[in-house]
Amino acid sequence: GEDVEQSLFLSVREGDSSVINCTYTDSSSTYLYWYKQEPGAGLQLLTYIFSNMDMKQDQRLTVLLNKKDKHLSLRIADTQTGDSAIYFCAEMVGANNLFFGTGTRLTVIP
Amino acid sequence: GAVVSQHPSWVICKSGTSVKIECRSLDFQATTMFWYRQFPKQSLMLMATSNEGSKATYEQGVEKDKFLINHASLTLSTLTVTSAHPEDSSFYICSARRASDEQYFGPGTRLTVT
């Protein structure tokens, strides 16, 4: 399978920016996604980026893609306590194959 | 929006029994449904992909006789864990996709086998 890696934990203070990083291995991925998982819940799609883009901004969220280094990041501006969750990056390879990272647990300190 | 539900949200069963989990797309027709398994503090692993009316395609290492998937209609897929054992305890998440669209995830089902 594909290797998609993330750091496991991140703590930030409320109001600061959070940056969650992800590295992947398959250069043929078409789309890259960020999902949010709150405790005991399923996955919520936050945003995605097409592989030929290098940046996408959506309100407080900014996605940066460095395709050469196979590095994806999600920046959350003005992080709030409601942003505390596990964040998964995922890469789409082919039409159906979605490979997830290990997830980063974001803790926002009031 | 596109809503996917799962039932039950949690289930406890005794070792050796079978458990059925339902995944429904509530407001759209899903041509493809996916089943994932998530171990504690780990990522999601794709178990199988199913298209309506055809047999599911299982990922390597997933026992098809143990995890029975039936995609009976464009809005319903079921996962049956047969002869469950404690090591099958996990969080099972389904997702549904309509043609040329993203995957929409269900809320998940927590299975505990005692």
Side-chain angles (χ1 to χ4, degrees):
Chain A
E2 314 305 332
D3 284 330
V4 183
E5 296 190 354
Q6 302 175 236
S7 52
L8 292 179
F9 302 99
L10 176 66
S11 292
V12 299
R13 292 204 175 274
E14 191 173 15
D16 289 350
S17 293
S18 308
V19 179
I20 304 171
N21 294 301
C22 171
T23 57
Y24 59 96
T25 57
D26 196 311
S27 58
S28 65
S29 52
T30 51
Y31 288 89
L32 294 124
Y33 300 83
W34 283 103
Y35 289 89
K36 177 182 181 182
Q37 185 181 33
E38 300 192 48
L43 297 176
Q44 172 195 356
L45 177 65
L46 287 179
T47 187
Y48 65 93
I49 188 168
F50 189 48
S51 59
N52 70 352
M53 298 170 62
D54 50 22
M55 187 183 96
K56 180 178 180 181
Q57 186 153 3
D58 184 0
Q59 299 182 336
R60 292 192 297 125
L61 306 178
T62 303
V63 179
L64 295 178
L65 174 61
N66 181 330
K67 199 170 180 181
K68 174 176 168 288
D69 294 339
K70 300 189 184 68
H71 182 266
L72 181 74
S73 69
L74 173 70
R75 179 177 180 269
I76 306 172
D78 187 25
T79 312
Q80 303 297 306
T81 53
D83 295 324
S84 293
I86 301 176
Y87 291 80
F88 290 93
C89 66
E91 61 167 339
M92 176 70 80
V93 178
N96 278 340
N97 295 317
L98 195 59
F99 295 96
F100 287 86
T102 48
T104 299
R105 183 179 294 276
L106 173 65
T107 302
V108 181
I109 304 164
Chain B
V3 180
V4 177
S5 71
Q6 283 184 237
H7 178 78
S9 54
W10 60 270
V11 58
I12 302 172
C13 71
K14 289 188 182 297
S15 188
T17 61
S18 294
V19 174
K20 181 185 283 189
I21 303 169
E22 292 185 350
C23 176
R24 292 182 187 273
S25 54
L26 297 185
D27 51 1
F28 67 100
Q29 293 187 323
T31 50
T32 307
M33 286 187 169
F34 305 84
W35 285 96
Y36 295 85
R37 182 174 177 177
Q38 184 181 29
F39 293 95
K41 299 181 181 178
Q42 293 189 31
S43 185
L44 286 86
M45 301 298 294
L46 178 65
M47 298 174 66
T49 302
S50 73
N51 293 294
E52 185 263 340
S54 61
K55 289 185 179 180
T57 302
Y58 290 80
E59 294 299 302
Q60 194 172 7
V62 178
E63 298 176 60
K64 61 180 180 181
D65 294 330
K66 181 166 186 61
F67 299 100
L68 300 178
I69 292 171
N70 182 17
H71 194 155
S73 73
L74 285 171
T75 59
L76 173 64
S77 176
T78 60
L79 167 68
T80 302
V81 182
T82 62
S83 186
H85 290 284
E87 58 265 29
D88 299 324
S89 298
S90 194
F91 195 52
Y92 292 87
I93 299 177
C94 74
S95 70
R97 193 180 78 175
R98 48 193 176 195
S100 303
D101 203 349
E102 66 187 72
Q103 290 184 34
Y104 298 94
F105 286 84
T109 297
R110 184 165 300 284
L111 170 63
T112 302
V113 184
T114 60

